[in-house]
Amino acid sequence: MENELDRDICIRRFIKSDMPAVLALVAQIGSSEDLTESAGEQFARELADPNHEGDRFIAALGDVVIGTMGCAPGAIPSKHVLWADWLIVDSEYRRYGVASLLYDEIEKFALEHKKAWLCLDIGNIDRERAAYRFHLRNGFQIVGQLPDYWGEFEHLNIMAKSLKSKD
């Protein structure tokens, strides 16, 4: 896929050898806690489970992993919904359409599996303003909020997008 970087961005499935690069992306997330441990455990479980109903993708420029995103049924699975998670683009490659390419792959996966909705937790809308606006531009809307879920004034904001076939 061509983009403004004038180089090919390859979107492909996440494999075990991608783990160090993907965890380096997770480490770029500004958080008071170390998210790499929980992310690493989750990603390792997904790779080890042959019946995992979701998928994880990476964006790469040559051998360099520049982004990642996954999807899965979530904590309360529904045959109609997939939950998107861990959308991360390396800080040097933001604003080049990488996140949109990853979302396109997740949506394609969801549609192939006959899902009607794609959901996610956007986190703190004030601190994650760019992510919030990105999701609004891409058809998501806030459908619920659990106040103080992650901590004081750290609300769990649930966003959802109705998926329509692109045929």
Short mmCIF file of all heavy atoms in Angstrom, two decimals, residues 1 14 16-17 23 32 41 45-46 50 52 57 64 70-71 74 81 90 121 136 147 151 154-155 161:
data_model
loop_
_atom_site.label_atom_id
_atom_site.label_comp_id
_atom_site.label_asym_id
_atom_site.label_seq_id
_atom_site.Cartn_x
_atom_site.Cartn_y
_atom_site.Cartn_z
N MET A 1 0.84 -1.17 0.00
CA MET A 1 0.00 0.00 0.00
C MET A 1 0.88 1.23 0.00
O MET A 1 1.75 1.37 0.83
CB MET A 1 -0.87 0.01 1.26
CG MET A 1 -1.81 -1.14 1.35
SD MET A 1 -2.69 -1.07 2.93
CE MET A 1 -3.49 -2.62 2.85
N PHE A 14 0.31 -10.49 13.08
CA PHE A 14 1.33 -10.49 14.14
C PHE A 14 1.86 -11.91 14.32
O PHE A 14 1.10 -12.87 14.35
CB PHE A 14 0.65 -9.98 15.42
CG PHE A 14 1.44 -10.09 16.68
CD1 PHE A 14 2.49 -9.23 16.93
CD2 PHE A 14 1.12 -11.04 17.63
CE1 PHE A 14 3.20 -9.30 18.12
CE2 PHE A 14 1.82 -11.13 18.82
CZ PHE A 14 2.87 -10.25 19.06
N LYS A 16 5.16 -14.32 16.45
CA LYS A 16 5.94 -14.34 17.68
C LYS A 16 7.18 -13.46 17.60
O LYS A 16 7.52 -12.76 18.55
CB LYS A 16 6.32 -15.78 18.03
CG LYS A 16 6.98 -15.93 19.36
CD LYS A 16 7.23 -17.39 19.70
CE LYS A 16 7.84 -17.52 21.08
NZ LYS A 16 8.04 -18.93 21.44
N SER A 17 7.87 -13.46 16.47
CA SER A 17 9.10 -12.68 16.36
C SER A 17 8.85 -11.16 16.36
O SER A 17 9.79 -10.38 16.52
CB SER A 17 9.88 -13.08 15.10
OG SER A 17 9.12 -12.81 13.94
N LEU A 23 6.06 -4.68 21.74
CA LEU A 23 6.14 -4.23 23.14
C LEU A 23 6.88 -2.89 23.24
O LEU A 23 6.58 -2.08 24.12
CB LEU A 23 6.79 -5.30 24.01
CG LEU A 23 5.95 -6.57 24.19
CD1 LEU A 23 6.68 -7.57 25.08
CD2 LEU A 23 4.56 -6.25 24.74
N SER A 32 1.14 5.87 33.83
CA SER A 32 1.83 5.80 35.11
C SER A 32 2.22 4.36 35.46
O SER A 32 3.02 4.13 36.35
CB SER A 32 0.97 6.39 36.22
OG SER A 32 -0.25 5.68 36.31
N GLU A 41 1.69 -10.43 28.12
CA GLU A 41 0.95 -11.62 28.54
C GLU A 41 -0.25 -11.85 27.62
O GLU A 41 -0.52 -12.99 27.21
CB GLU A 41 0.49 -11.46 29.98
CG GLU A 41 1.63 -11.53 30.99
CD GLU A 41 1.19 -11.15 32.40
OE1 GLU A 41 0.00 -10.84 32.62
OE2 GLU A 41 2.07 -11.16 33.29
N ARG A 45 -0.71 -15.06 25.06
CA ARG A 45 -1.90 -15.95 25.15
C ARG A 45 -2.58 -16.07 23.79
O ARG A 45 -2.98 -17.17 23.38
CB ARG A 45 -2.91 -15.40 26.17
CG ARG A 45 -2.67 -15.78 27.59
CD ARG A 45 -3.85 -15.46 28.49
NE ARG A 45 -4.45 -14.16 28.29
CZ ARG A 45 -4.06 -13.04 28.90
NH1 ARG A 45 -3.05 -13.06 29.75
NH2 ARG A 45 -4.67 -11.89 28.65
N GLU A 46 -2.71 -14.94 23.09
CA GLU A 46 -3.35 -14.98 21.77
C GLU A 46 -2.57 -15.87 20.80
O GLU A 46 -3.16 -16.67 20.07
CB GLU A 46 -3.45 -13.56 21.20
CG GLU A 46 -4.41 -12.67 21.94
CD GLU A 46 -4.34 -11.21 21.52
OE1 GLU A 46 -3.51 -10.84 20.66
OE2 GLU A 46 -5.13 -10.43 22.08
N PRO A 50 -4.73 -21.70 19.62
CA PRO A 50 -5.13 -21.95 18.23
C PRO A 50 -6.61 -21.64 17.97
O PRO A 50 -7.03 -21.50 16.82
CB PRO A 50 -4.83 -23.43 18.02
CG PRO A 50 -4.82 -24.02 19.38
CD PRO A 50 -4.40 -22.94 20.33
N HIS A 52 -8.14 -18.91 19.26
CA HIS A 52 -8.37 -17.48 19.50
C HIS A 52 -9.26 -16.92 18.38
O HIS A 52 -8.95 -17.10 17.21
CB HIS A 52 -7.04 -16.73 19.57
CG HIS A 52 -7.18 -15.27 19.76
ND1 HIS A 52 -7.75 -14.72 20.88
CD2 HIS A 52 -6.83 -14.23 18.97
CE1 HIS A 52 -7.74 -13.41 20.78
NE2 HIS A 52 -7.18 -13.09 19.63
N PHE A 57 -2.67 -7.46 14.17
CA PHE A 57 -1.97 -7.09 12.95
C PHE A 57 -0.85 -6.12 13.29
O PHE A 57 -0.89 -5.43 14.31
CB PHE A 57 -2.93 -6.45 11.95
CG PHE A 57 -4.03 -7.37 11.53
CD1 PHE A 57 -5.25 -7.37 12.20
CD2 PHE A 57 -3.86 -8.27 10.49
CE1 PHE A 57 -6.27 -8.23 11.83
CE2 PHE A 57 -4.88 -9.14 10.12
CZ PHE A 57 -6.09 -9.12 10.79
N VAL A 64 10.86 -2.94 9.78
CA VAL A 64 10.59 -2.12 10.96
C VAL A 64 9.09 -2.10 11.25
O VAL A 64 8.28 -1.67 10.42
CB VAL A 64 11.09 -0.67 10.74
CG1 VAL A 64 10.80 0.20 11.96
CG2 VAL A 64 12.58 -0.67 10.42
N GLY A 70 -5.18 -4.95 17.38
CA GLY A 70 -5.80 -6.27 17.43
C GLY A 70 -7.29 -6.17 17.64
O GLY A 70 -7.85 -5.08 17.80
N CYS A 71 -7.92 -7.33 17.62
CA CYS A 71 -9.35 -7.41 17.90
C CYS A 71 -9.65 -8.79 18.46
O CYS A 71 -8.94 -9.76 18.17
CB CYS A 71 -10.19 -7.13 16.66
SG CYS A 71 -9.93 -8.31 15.31
N GLY A 74 -13.76 -10.02 23.30
CA GLY A 74 -13.91 -9.22 24.51
C GLY A 74 -14.31 -10.05 25.70
O GLY A 74 -14.50 -11.26 25.61
N VAL A 81 -20.23 -8.82 17.79
CA VAL A 81 -19.29 -7.75 18.14
C VAL A 81 -17.85 -8.24 18.22
O VAL A 81 -17.59 -9.35 18.67
CB VAL A 81 -19.67 -7.15 19.53
CG1 VAL A 81 -18.66 -6.10 19.97
CG2 VAL A 81 -21.07 -6.58 19.51
N ASP A 90 3.94 4.07 16.01
CA ASP A 90 5.19 4.66 16.46
C ASP A 90 5.10 6.18 16.29
O ASP A 90 4.63 6.68 15.27
CB ASP A 90 6.34 4.10 15.61
CG ASP A 90 7.70 4.56 16.10
OD1 ASP A 90 7.99 5.77 16.00
OD2 ASP A 90 8.47 3.71 16.56
N ASP A 121 -12.48 0.79 23.86
CA ASP A 121 -12.41 1.71 25.00
C ASP A 121 -11.42 2.79 24.63
O ASP A 121 -10.24 2.51 24.43
CB ASP A 121 -11.96 0.97 26.26
CG ASP A 121 -11.48 1.91 27.35
OD1 ASP A 121 -11.96 3.06 27.40
OD2 ASP A 121 -10.62 1.51 28.13
N LEU A 136 -13.94 9.38 16.01
CA LEU A 136 -15.16 10.05 15.54
C LEU A 136 -15.15 10.19 14.02
O LEU A 136 -16.16 9.92 13.36
CB LEU A 136 -15.30 11.44 16.19
CG LEU A 136 -15.70 11.49 17.65
CD1 LEU A 136 -15.70 12.94 18.14
CD2 LEU A 136 -17.06 10.85 17.88
N PRO A 147 -17.68 5.90 34.87
CA PRO A 147 -16.83 6.90 35.52
C PRO A 147 -15.80 6.27 36.46
O PRO A 147 -16.08 5.28 37.12
CB PRO A 147 -17.83 7.75 36.30
CG PRO A 147 -19.15 7.50 35.66
CD PRO A 147 -19.09 6.09 35.15
N GLY A 151 -9.37 4.86 37.39
CA GLY A 151 -8.86 5.67 38.49
C GLY A 151 -9.68 6.95 38.55
O GLY A 151 -10.58 7.17 37.73
N GLU A 154 -10.57 8.96 35.46
CA GLU A 154 -10.10 8.12 34.35
C GLU A 154 -11.24 7.19 33.96
O GLU A 154 -11.34 6.06 34.41
CB GLU A 154 -8.86 7.30 34.75
CG GLU A 154 -7.64 8.14 35.02
CD GLU A 154 -7.07 8.78 33.76
OE1 GLU A 154 -7.18 8.18 32.67
OE2 GLU A 154 -6.52 9.88 33.88
N HIS A 155 -12.12 7.71 33.12
CA HIS A 155 -13.34 7.00 32.76
C HIS A 155 -13.08 5.97 31.66
O HIS A 155 -12.20 6.16 30.82
CB HIS A 155 -14.41 7.98 32.28
CG HIS A 155 -14.59 9.15 33.17
ND1 HIS A 155 -14.65 9.05 34.55
CD2 HIS A 155 -14.71 10.46 32.88
CE1 HIS A 155 -14.83 10.25 35.06
NE2 HIS A 155 -14.85 11.13 34.08
N LYS A 161 -18.89 1.28 16.48
CA LYS A 161 -19.11 1.61 15.07
C LYS A 161 -19.92 0.48 14.45
O LYS A 161 -19.56 -0.69 14.58
CB LYS A 161 -17.78 1.75 14.35
CG LYS A 161 -17.92 2.02 12.86
CD LYS A 161 -16.57 2.15 12.20
CE LYS A 161 -16.74 2.48 10.73
NZ LYS A 161 -15.45 2.73 10.09
#
